[in-house]
Amino acid sequence: MSEPVFDLTLIWAGIIAFGVIMYVLMDGFDLGQGILFPFAPSEDARDVMMNSVAPVWDGNETWLILGGAGLLAAFPLVYSVFLPALYIGVFLLLAGLIFRGVAFEFRFKAKSSRYLWNWAFAGGSIVASFAQGAVVGSYIQGFNVENGVYVGGALDWLTPFTLLTGVGLVIGYALLGATWLIMKSEGDIQQWAYRITRPLLLGVMVIFLIISVWTPWVDPFVADRWFNGVSPIWLLPILALFCAWRIWVAVGQQRDGLPFVATMGLFICTYLGLLASKFPYVVPPNYTLWDAASAHESQLFLLLGLLFVIPIVLIYTAWTYWVFRGKVKAGEGYH
Amino acid sequence: MELDPLILSRIQFAFVVSFHAIFPVFTIGLAAYIAVLEGLAYKTGNAAWDRLSRFWIQVFAVVFGMGVVSGIVMSFQFGTNWSNFSQATANFLGPVLSYEVLTAFFLEAAFLGVLLFGRDKVPKGLHFFSAIMVAVGTFISSFWILSASSWMHTPAGVELRDGIYFVTSWSEAIFNPSFWPRFFHMALASFLTGGFVVCGVSAWFLLRKKDVEVHRRALSMSLWLLLFMAPAQVLVGHAHGLNTAEHQPMKVAAMEGAWETKTHAPLILFAIPDQDAQTNHFEVSIPGLASWFVTGDVAGEVAGLDQVPVELQPPVAIVFWSFRVMVGLGMLMVLVAFIGLALRYRGRYAETHWYLQVLRGMAFTPFVAVLAGWFVTEVGRAPWLVYEQMTHAEGLTPSLTGGMALFTLIGYVMVYAVVFAAGLYYLMRVLQTGAPTLEDIGHEDQKQRPKRPLSGATASWEQEESKA
């Protein structure tokens, strides 16, 4: 076999990292609607919340499926360690997403059974978000792996630390959802979204702070990366704090789009900070990207198709968001 | 009793994949039918074709939506329960399964939205083109899935180094020796499924005397389709069986209930296979016929299960009986299709009450036949996960305990019970509501916008409201 000309592993790491943040941002505000659902001021507000994401949610969710399949193709070790290690969590995630997805479809078509679909929507969203947060926590925590095979127990993924990251992501998605709603609604509903944004932001910041102290404290590798001399990655937490400050101020000024944009900025900076903490380890504490990668020819074979399809999907995604731009009005049915 | 994660994982996989399979097998056939209806509407401008297409697109939307939901679960099963298998085969199966996802992605992004929601917003020709592309896309999706499945039966184009498969030839691996027979067998199964469901539903409308003119057209064209497809499936199925006899003789031996290798092997009509005693009870058979089917000669030698140790035999009773269910239903389909021709000759196929009732019942049979067929081929591969190279036990997730597997098995059964009961209930509502009238079409909600599969259906959830 000829020596690879390019290091596709890095390209693939970039693709998967891009897919993950696309998923987190886009399904994040969808799931946020579900998390906020039980607290909505009225049934009209719930209609607006659901309508604001109805046209785009399933496109958003497809990034998750691509992530799953892409991991198997490009980084099989990640796939075959994460899924057994997170076995119960993955089930909760999928069950949550299924209920959430079905509720989207049937709530609009139902009248007398609507409250059931409200619960399915809220419960599914909260469970799925928590499970995703716990996945992030487990990744930071690392996995008990020997010879490329997960050897830990069924509930290793459920620790005080992952509980915290799980709750953190639920509140984080709620914040994304609230600021999205500010952008997409008006009147009473928008005012409600303004009111809940600052408390949610405070909650997110407190949990981020605890995680930021906890992680380097228990993981010398992370401590070394951040505190061994001056590093450009320090810009990331500074930018994150700046974004948080912008959200706070923008809510006071009753700005429309800025809170959501700044929340996305907060998520992106935190995400990049997480990647910077662990790079190049994908199955911490022992396996790097290159340990986990599939064969060069397999990475190449799939990349060819991906380079063709991803631009089309991105154009289509942009087009859908463009078509559905602007405010969602109460009583204006999507159906 | 100790809980066995291996058995539980196999049951779980069989459960989720069986549940998933019934949706795509229907949508593949239905997508092709919708493309034909769109073509007829485009060419003739006849409103009847247009109404039929609108109706079946709604059904398609609901079924496609359920297929997507159950498909999400599938893409994680390999990792959660079969991580050793995933790791060993990822270099081939990873890209192939990802191409299936990319196909579905691309299809949904580019054409499904136009088909479901774009009828009045794009030129008619483009709408027709989208219908064709959706139909082609569903076939490409099944192409990748069947390639992956076939490779597990007849692995090719790879070499094994340190327990990991490396692809040496993509074309040999993708077009592995059992791929084409399996692909055509499944393609015809999809057409038969689509055809019998359309027949059954149309017959139901005729029995209810609702939109008789429109659904009579649908019934007529699907009966023509079945008349050719049902016999063709018998031939293709036979070819697939010969391919299996060549590459996986023990599977065929289990299908035939043949414990001993012998000449003049009989075709067994009925028997109760007894794996412990390695024999059949209450056997009723036709001498020599199995030899003739497999070798073309009544005196030909057919391999029996005695060629491998007992622990390398597939579970014979499941394979044996699933095969008979599949073949029996296939023969029934041929019979029903020919009765349709006889009745048509006398011009009475759409008025014969009992025949319409039969068609209504037949709508369920393709699903049973398809699942039975998959049981034959998948259980018949046992104990191998990758044929003669990796067993189920070797592919299992090492950290998986019986308790974990039981927890998720019960969990998936419960989730699916709720979700698919709701889905099937709603599908029945769509069928009851029927094709949109010309008036409905004129008043269609202009605000309806893209784009999620299930919102392509407009029937109400509760029955009483739809009458209001």
Side-chain angles (χ1 to χ4, degrees):
Chain A
M1 227 158 291
S2 62
E3 214 29 47
V5 184
F6 298 104
D7 185 4
L8 292 180
T9 299
L10 270 183
I11 295 175
W12 266 105
I15 291 171
I16 302 265
F18 176 72
V20 169
I21 191 64
M22 284 294 281
Y23 173 76
V24 167
L25 291 177
M26 302 207 308
D27 212 23
F29 68 74
D30 301 345
L31 289 164
Q33 305 308 318
I35 297 164
L36 296 173
F37 225 53
F39 310 103
S42 65
E43 200 62 24
D44 277 350
R46 293 197 179 101
D47 286 350
V48 170
M49 289 163 78
M50 225 175 194
N51 277 325
S52 74
V53 294
V56 292
W57 79 271
D58 87 337
N60 298 347
E61 200 176 279
T62 35
W63 290 95
L64 179 69
I65 307 175
L66 189 70
L71 273 183
L72 175 62
F75 299 103
L77 185 70
V78 179
Y79 185 85
S80 62
V81 168
F82 274 46
L83 292 178
L86 301 162
Y87 189 82
I88 306 284
V90 168
F91 167 74
L92 293 176
L93 170 64
L94 295 175
L97 287 178
I98 289 174
F99 274 110
R100 190 275 298 248
V102 174
F104 255 118
E105 304 301 341
F106 290 143
R107 183 179 176 274
F108 287 111
K109 298 174 166 65
K111 288 276 184 323
S112 58
S113 57
R114 178 165 285 193
Y115 72 100
L116 284 176
W117 298 117
N118 283 348
W119 281 112
F121 185 58
S125 300
I126 292 169
V127 168
S129 305
F130 174 81
Q132 288 176 15
V135 170
V136 176
S138 312
Y139 168 66
I140 298 173
Q141 203 171 260
F143 299 94
N144 193 356
V145 182
E146 282 171 19
N147 298 322
V149 172
Y150 177 71
V151 292
L155 294 175
D156 283 12
W157 63 280
L158 203 62
T159 63
F161 183 72
T162 59
L163 275 178
L164 183 73
T165 55
V167 172
L169 197 63
V170 171
I171 301 177
Y173 280 167
L175 177 67
L176 258 182
T179 52
W180 165 264
L181 198 58
I182 287 174
M183 188 169 70
K184 300 296 283 187
S185 69
E186 53 194 11
D188 291 349
I189 302 164
Q190 192 189 29
Q191 287 309 314
W192 172 70
Y194 276 125
R195 278 200 303 281
I196 59 173
T197 297
R198 279 181 175 174
L200 287 170
L201 178 62
L202 278 178
V204 168
M205 296 315 288
V206 168
I207 291 181
F208 280 6
L209 189 70
I210 300 175
I211 294 172
S212 306
V213 175
W214 195 334
T215 312
W217 193 30
V218 296
D219 187 340
F221 179 81
V222 175
D224 186 58
R225 170 136 309 164
W226 285 92
F227 301 117
N228 189 11
V230 180
S231 163
I233 58 176
W234 286 4
L235 276 175
L236 292 169
I238 294 170
L239 279 172
L241 284 174
F242 174 74
C243 289
W245 175 71
R246 289 304 292 157
I247 300 169
W248 188 274
V249 172
V251 167
Q253 296 167 335
Q254 303 253 319
R255 300 280 288 269
D256 245 19
L258 191 60
F260 181 65
V261 174
T263 307
M264 287 204 294
L266 178 62
F267 264 82
I268 292 170
C269 293
T270 313
Y271 176 71
L272 290 176
L274 172 66
L275 296 186
S277 296
K278 288 287 181 183
F279 186 85
Y281 288 93
V282 274
V283 186
N286 293 324
Y287 295 93
T288 66
L289 285 171
W290 291 275
D291 299 327
S294 60
H296 177 78
E297 62 272 16
S298 300
Q299 291 187 335
L300 181 64
F301 181 69
L302 182 57
L303 191 63
L304 298 176
L306 207 65
L307 290 179
F308 171 69
V309 171
I310 292 294
I312 293 170
V313 172
L314 284 176
I315 291 168
Y316 165 77
T317 307
W319 177 77
T320 313
Y321 278 86
W322 173 253
V323 167
F324 295 104
R325 70 192 180 280
K327 299 280 185 188
V328 178
K329 293 185 174 57
E332 181 186 74
Y334 164 59
H335 285 260
Chain B
M1 196 184 91
E2 186 76 12
L3 287 171
D4 179 7
L6 180 60
I7 293 291
L8 289 168
S9 291
R10 290 181 64 189
I11 294 173
Q12 177 171 312
F13 197 85
F15 174 75
V16 292
V17 80
S18 298
F19 236 104
H20 176 63
I22 56 178
F23 301 114
V25 76
F26 178 36
T27 47
I28 292 166
L30 191 56
Y33 182 59
I34 289 169
V36 171
L37 289 175
E38 284 292 319
L40 287 168
Y42 179 65
K43 199 147 189 281
T44 66
N46 188 326
W49 299 124
D50 187 56
R51 289 182 61 202
L52 267 179
S53 178
R54 285 171 192 261
F55 170 67
W56 284 107
I57 284 176
Q58 291 200 22
V59 175
F60 179 84
V62 177
V63 179
F64 187 87
M66 289 198 278
V68 171
V69 169
S70 53
I72 297 173
V73 175
M74 292 308 307
S75 64
F76 290 93
Q77 280 291 308
F78 301 104
T80 51
N81 293 62
W82 307 98
S83 67
N84 275 359
F85 165 74
S86 304
Q87 206 171 343
T89 58
N91 281 332
F92 175 63
L93 291 187
V96 168
L97 293 175
S98 295
Y99 264 107
E100 195 278 334
V101 175
L102 285 182
T103 309
F105 234 49
F106 176 68
L107 165 74
E108 182 156 332
F111 300 109
L112 190 63
V114 176
L115 177 67
L116 295 185
F117 306 103
R119 187 184 296 275
D120 305 317
K121 299 180 184 69
V122 298
K124 283 193 184 321
L126 183 60
H127 194 252
F128 173 40
F129 178 70
S130 297
I132 293 175
M133 289 309 290
V134 168
V136 172
T138 56
F139 267 106
I140 299 175
S141 262
S142 69
F143 167 89
W144 293 110
I145 291 294
L146 291 174
S147 171
S149 170
S150 296
W151 182 86
M152 291 164 67
H153 291 274
T154 49
V158 290
E159 63 179 10
L160 197 55
R161 296 200 298 264
D162 300 329
I164 305 281
Y165 288 97
F166 289 84
V167 178
T168 52
S169 162
W170 288 100
S171 61
E172 278 175 35
I174 291 170
F175 302 101
N176 55 76
S178 67
F179 171 72
W180 284 116
R182 199 182 311 277
F183 180 77
F184 284 116
H185 195 42
M186 199 60 203
L188 282 175
S190 296
F191 281 134
L192 284 174
T193 307
F196 271 104
V197 172
V198 171
C199 273
V201 171
S202 305
W204 188 43
F205 279 107
L206 294 182
L207 286 166
R208 287 191 293 162
K209 306 228 179 322
K210 186 168 176 174
D211 281 328
V212 171
E213 259 322 294
V214 173
H215 293 290
R216 193 192 167 105
R217 283 167 183 267
L219 179 62
S220 170
M221 63 194 290
S222 333
L223 279 175
W224 279 122
L225 174 91
L226 295 179
L227 192 61
F228 294 97
M229 293 294 169
Q233 181 69 310
V234 175
L235 297 177
V236 170
H238 179 60
H240 189 18
L242 291 181
N243 180 273
T244 307
E246 184 186 340
H247 297 284
Q248 297 175 290
M250 287 310 100
K251 187 193 289 182
V252 172
M255 284 154 65
E256 301 290 351
W259 298 99
E260 292 154 24
T261 305
K262 58 183 170 191
T263 57
H264 302 89
L267 181 82
I268 299 172
L269 297 175
F270 181 91
I272 299 193
D274 181 343
Q275 196 124 10
D276 292 334
Q278 297 278 302
T279 186
N280 293 327
H281 302 296
F282 311 109
E283 188 177 301
V284 180
S285 57
I286 304 171
L289 200 52
S291 282
W292 186 71
F293 272 143
V294 175
T295 65
D297 177 5
V298 288
E301 185 178 273
V302 175
L305 291 153
D306 56 3
Q307 298 209 337
V308 294
V310 176
E311 65 272 15
L312 293 183
Q313 294 174 353
V316 176
I318 298 177
V319 178
F320 179 86
W321 276 109
S322 299
F323 181 63
R324 270 145 196 78
V325 168
M326 175 186 75
V327 172
L329 288 175
M331 295 301 161
L332 189 62
M333 290 177 198
V334 174
L335 180 69
V336 169
F338 277 101
I339 293 174
L341 181 67
L343 289 171
R344 188 193 294 271
Y345 189 65
R346 291 189 279 161
R348 291 196 292 126
Y349 68 95
E351 286 81 30
T352 311
H353 199 265
W354 65 266
Y355 186 63
L356 295 177
Q357 289 288 8
V358 166
L359 285 178
R360 221 182 123 189
M362 284 300 288
F364 300 97
T365 55
F367 298 102
V368 179
V370 164
L371 288 184
W374 277 107
F375 270 72
V376 171
T377 199
E378 297 294 305
V379 178
R381 193 186 55 221
W384 303 105
L385 197 46
V386 181
Y387 194 64
E388 289 186 333
Q389 297 183 13
M390 177 187 260
T391 62
H392 284 120
E394 289 165 346
L396 192 70
T397 298
S399 60
L400 190 68
T401 63
M404 289 159 76
L406 185 66
F407 173 80
T408 53
L409 173 60
I410 294 173
Y412 282 119
V413 170
M414 284 179 5
V415 172
Y416 278 37
V418 172
V419 167
F420 292 106
L424 289 178
Y425 167 80
Y426 185 67
L427 185 61
M428 291 314 289
R429 293 283 311 122
V430 172
L431 294 179
Q432 262 174 359
T433 307
T437 64
L438 291 174
E439 254 170 49
D440 288 342
I441 292 170
H443 290 112
E444 209 158 70
D445 185 5
Q446 288 304 310
K447 285 203 195 95
Q448 199 194 49
R449 303 174 286 190
K451 104 102 190 58
R452 294 162 7 253
L454 261 176
S455 49
T458 52
S460 164
W461 180 266
E462 283 93 357
Q463 185 140 18
E464 56 283 355
E465 283 171 56
S466 62
K467 290 176 185 160

Coordinates of all heavy atoms in Angstrom, one line a residue, chain A residues 109-152:
Chain A
K109 N -51.5 17.6 15.5 CA -52.6 16.9 14.9 C -53.7 16.5 15.9 O -54.7 16.1 15.6 CB -52.1 15.7 14.1 CG -51.2 16.0 13.0 CD -50.6 14.7 12.4 CE -49.9 15.0 11.1 NZ -48.7 15.8 11.1
A110 N -53.3 16.7 17.2 CA -54.2 16.2 18.3 C -54.9 17.4 19.0 O -54.3 18.5 19.0 CB -53.4 15.4 19.3
K111 N -56.0 17.1 19.6 CA -56.7 18.2 20.4 C -56.8 17.7 21.8 O -56.1 18.2 22.7 CB -58.1 18.5 19.8 CG -58.0 19.2 18.5 CD -57.9 20.7 18.8 CE -57.9 21.6 17.5 NZ -57.3 21.1 16.3
S112 N -57.6 16.6 22.0 CA -57.9 16.2 23.4 C -56.7 15.5 24.0 O -56.6 15.5 25.2 CB -59.1 15.3 23.4 OG -59.0 14.2 22.6
S113 N -55.9 14.9 23.2 CA -54.7 14.2 23.8 C -53.4 15.1 23.8 O -52.4 14.6 23.9 CB -54.4 12.9 23.0 OG -54.3 13.2 21.6
R114 N -53.6 16.4 23.5 CA -52.5 17.2 23.3 C -51.6 17.3 24.6 O -50.4 17.3 24.5 CB -53.0 18.7 23.0 CG -51.8 19.7 22.8 CD -52.3 20.9 22.2 NE -52.5 20.7 20.7 CZ -52.6 21.7 19.9 NH1 -52.6 22.9 20.3 NH2 -52.7 21.4 18.6
Y115 N -52.2 17.3 25.8 CA -51.3 17.4 27.0 C -50.3 16.2 27.1 O -49.2 16.4 27.6 CB -52.2 17.5 28.2 CG -52.9 16.2 28.6 CD1 -52.4 15.3 29.6 CD2 -54.0 15.7 27.9 CE1 -53.0 14.1 29.9 CE2 -54.7 14.6 28.3 CZ -54.1 13.8 29.2 OH -54.7 12.6 29.6
L116 N -50.8 15.0 26.6 CA -49.8 13.9 26.6 C -48.6 14.2 25.7 O -47.5 13.9 26.1 CB -50.5 12.6 26.0 CG -51.5 12.0 27.0 CD1 -52.2 10.8 26.2 CD2 -50.8 11.5 28.2
W117 N -48.8 14.8 24.6 CA -47.7 15.1 23.7 C -46.9 16.2 24.3 O -45.7 16.2 24.0 CB -48.2 15.4 22.3 CG -49.0 14.3 21.6 CD1 -50.3 14.2 21.3 CD2 -48.4 13.0 21.3 NE1 -50.6 13.0 20.8 CE2 -49.5 12.2 20.8 CE3 -47.2 12.4 21.5 CZ2 -49.3 10.9 20.4 CZ3 -47.0 11.1 21.1 CH2 -48.0 10.4 20.6
N118 N -47.5 17.1 25.0 CA -46.7 18.1 25.7 C -45.7 17.5 26.6 O -44.5 17.8 26.7 CB -47.6 19.0 26.6 CG -48.3 20.1 25.7 OD1 -48.0 20.2 24.5 ND2 -49.3 20.7 26.3
W119 N -46.2 16.5 27.4 CA -45.3 15.8 28.3 C -44.2 15.0 27.6 O -43.0 15.0 28.0 CB -46.1 14.9 29.3 CG -46.7 15.6 30.4 CD1 -48.1 15.8 30.5 CD2 -46.1 16.3 31.4 NE1 -48.3 16.6 31.6 CE2 -47.1 17.0 32.2 CE3 -44.7 16.5 31.8 CZ2 -46.8 17.7 33.3 CZ3 -44.5 17.3 32.9 CH2 -45.5 17.9 33.6
A120 N -44.6 14.3 26.5 CA -43.6 13.6 25.8 C -42.5 14.5 25.2 O -41.3 14.2 25.2 CB -44.3 12.8 24.6
F121 N -42.9 15.7 24.8 CA -42.0 16.6 24.2 C -41.0 17.1 25.3 O -39.8 17.1 25.1 CB -42.8 17.8 23.6 CG -41.9 18.8 22.9 CD1 -41.1 18.4 21.8 CD2 -41.9 20.1 23.2 CE1 -40.3 19.3 21.1 CE2 -41.1 21.0 22.6 CZ -40.4 20.6 21.5
A122 N -41.6 17.5 26.4 CA -40.7 18.0 27.5 C -39.8 16.9 28.1 O -38.6 17.1 28.2 CB -41.6 18.6 28.6
G123 N -40.4 15.8 28.4 CA -39.7 14.7 29.0 C -38.6 14.2 28.1 O -37.4 14.0 28.5
G124 N -38.9 14.0 26.8 CA -38.0 13.5 25.8 C -36.8 14.5 25.7 O -35.6 14.1 25.6
S125 N -37.1 15.8 25.6 CA -36.0 16.8 25.4 C -35.1 16.8 26.6 O -33.9 16.9 26.5 CB -36.7 18.2 25.2 OG -37.5 18.2 24.1
I126 N -35.7 16.8 27.8 CA -34.9 16.9 29.0 C -34.0 15.7 29.2 O -32.8 15.8 29.4 CB -35.8 17.1 30.3 CG1 -36.4 18.4 30.2 CG2 -34.9 17.0 31.6 CD1 -37.5 18.7 31.2
V127 N -34.5 14.5 29.0 CA -33.7 13.3 29.1 C -32.6 13.2 28.1 O -31.5 12.9 28.4 CB -34.6 12.0 29.0 CG1 -33.8 10.8 28.8 CG2 -35.6 11.9 30.2
A128 N -32.9 13.6 26.8 CA -31.9 13.6 25.8 C -30.8 14.6 26.0 O -29.6 14.3 25.9 CB -32.6 13.9 24.4
S129 N -31.2 15.8 26.5 CA -30.2 16.8 26.8 C -29.3 16.4 28.0 O -28.1 16.5 27.9 CB -30.8 18.1 27.2 OG -31.7 18.5 26.2
F130 N -29.9 15.8 29.0 CA -29.1 15.4 30.1 C -28.1 14.3 29.7 O -26.9 14.3 30.1 CB -30.0 14.8 31.3 CG -29.2 14.2 32.4 CD1 -28.7 15.1 33.4 CD2 -29.0 12.9 32.5 CE1 -27.9 14.5 34.4 CE2 -28.3 12.3 33.5 CZ -27.7 13.1 34.5
A131 N -28.6 13.3 28.9 CA -27.7 12.2 28.4 C -26.6 12.8 27.6 O -25.4 12.3 27.8 CB -28.5 11.2 27.6
Q132 N -26.8 13.8 26.8 CA -25.7 14.4 26.0 C -24.7 15.1 26.9 O -23.5 14.9 26.7 CB -26.3 15.4 25.0 CG -27.0 14.7 23.9 CD -27.7 15.7 22.9 OE1 -27.3 16.9 22.9 NE2 -28.6 15.2 22.1
G133 N -25.2 15.8 27.9 CA -24.3 16.4 28.9 C -23.4 15.4 29.6 O -22.2 15.6 29.8
A134 N -24.1 14.2 30.0 CA -23.3 13.2 30.7 C -22.3 12.6 29.7 O -21.2 12.2 30.2 CB -24.3 12.1 31.2
V135 N -22.6 12.5 28.4 CA -21.6 12.0 27.5 C -20.3 12.9 27.5 O -19.2 12.4 27.5 CB -22.2 11.9 26.0 CG1 -21.1 11.7 25.0 CG2 -23.3 10.9 26.0
V136 N -20.6 14.2 27.5 CA -19.5 15.2 27.5 C -18.6 15.0 28.8 O -17.4 14.9 28.7 CB -20.0 16.6 27.4 CG1 -18.8 17.6 27.6 CG2 -20.7 16.9 26.1
G137 N -19.4 14.8 29.9 CA -18.7 14.6 31.2 C -17.8 13.3 31.2 O -16.7 13.3 31.6
S138 N -18.4 12.3 30.6 CA -17.7 11.0 30.5 C -16.4 11.2 29.7 O -15.4 10.6 30.0 CB -18.5 9.9 29.9 OG -19.8 9.9 30.5
Y139 N -16.5 11.9 28.6 CA -15.4 12.1 27.7 C -14.3 12.8 28.5 O -13.1 12.5 28.4 CB -15.8 13.0 26.5 CG -14.7 13.5 25.7 CD1 -13.8 12.6 25.0 CD2 -14.4 14.9 25.6 CE1 -12.8 13.1 24.3 CE2 -13.4 15.4 24.9 CZ -12.5 14.5 24.2 OH -11.5 15.0 23.5
I140 N -14.6 13.9 29.3 CA -13.6 14.6 30.1 C -13.0 13.6 31.1 O -11.8 13.6 31.3 CB -14.3 15.8 30.8 CG1 -14.8 16.8 29.8 CG2 -13.2 16.5 31.7 CD1 -15.6 17.9 30.4
Q141 N -13.9 12.8 31.7 CA -13.5 11.9 32.8 C -12.6 10.8 32.3 O -11.7 10.3 33.0 CB -14.8 11.3 33.2 CG -14.8 10.7 34.6 CD -16.3 10.3 35.0 OE1 -17.0 11.1 35.7 NE2 -16.7 9.2 34.5
G142 N -12.7 10.4 31.0 CA -11.9 9.3 30.5 C -12.6 7.9 30.6 O -13.6 7.8 31.4
F143 N -12.1 6.9 29.9 CA -12.7 5.6 29.9 C -11.7 4.5 30.4 O -10.5 4.7 30.1 CB -13.2 5.3 28.5 CG -14.3 6.2 28.0 CD1 -13.9 7.3 27.3 CD2 -15.6 6.1 28.4 CE1 -14.9 8.2 26.8 CE2 -16.5 7.0 28.0 CZ -16.2 8.1 27.2
N144 N -12.3 3.5 31.0 CA -11.5 2.4 31.4 C -11.3 1.4 30.3 O -12.2 0.5 30.0 CB -12.2 1.7 32.6 CG -11.3 0.8 33.3 OD1 -10.2 0.5 32.9 ND2 -11.9 0.2 34.4
V145 N -10.2 1.6 29.5 CA -10.0 0.8 28.3 C -8.7 -0.1 28.4 O -7.7 0.5 28.8 CB -9.9 1.7 27.1 CG1 -9.8 0.9 25.8 CG2 -11.2 2.6 27.0
E146 N -8.8 -1.3 28.0 CA -7.6 -2.2 27.9 C -7.6 -2.8 26.5 O -8.6 -3.4 26.1 CB -7.7 -3.3 29.0 CG -7.2 -2.8 30.3 CD -7.5 -3.8 31.4 OE1 -7.6 -5.0 31.1 OE2 -7.6 -3.4 32.6
N147 N -6.5 -2.7 25.8 CA -6.3 -3.2 24.5 C -7.4 -2.8 23.5 O -7.9 -3.6 22.8 CB -6.2 -4.8 24.5 CG -5.1 -5.3 25.4 OD1 -4.0 -4.6 25.3 ND2 -5.3 -6.3 26.1
G148 N -7.8 -1.6 23.6 CA -8.8 -1.1 22.7 C -10.2 -1.6 23.0 O -11.1 -1.4 22.2
V149 N -10.4 -2.1 24.2 CA -11.8 -2.6 24.5 C -12.2 -2.0 25.9 O -11.4 -2.0 26.8 CB -11.8 -4.2 24.6 CG1 -13.1 -4.7 25.1 CG2 -11.5 -4.8 23.2
Y150 N -13.4 -1.5 25.9 CA -13.9 -1.0 27.2 C -14.1 -2.1 28.2 O -14.7 -3.1 27.9 CB -15.3 -0.3 26.9 CG -15.9 0.3 28.2 CD1 -15.3 1.4 28.8 CD2 -17.0 -0.3 28.7 CE1 -15.9 1.9 30.0 CE2 -17.6 0.2 29.9 CZ -17.0 1.3 30.5 OH -17.5 1.8 31.7
V151 N -13.6 -1.9 29.4 CA -13.7 -2.9 30.4 C -14.3 -2.4 31.7 O -14.3 -3.1 32.7 CB -12.3 -3.5 30.8 CG1 -11.7 -4.3 29.6 CG2 -11.3 -2.4 31.2
G152 N -14.9 -1.2 31.7 CA -15.5 -0.7 32.8 C -16.9 -1.2 33.0 O -17.4 -2.1 32.3

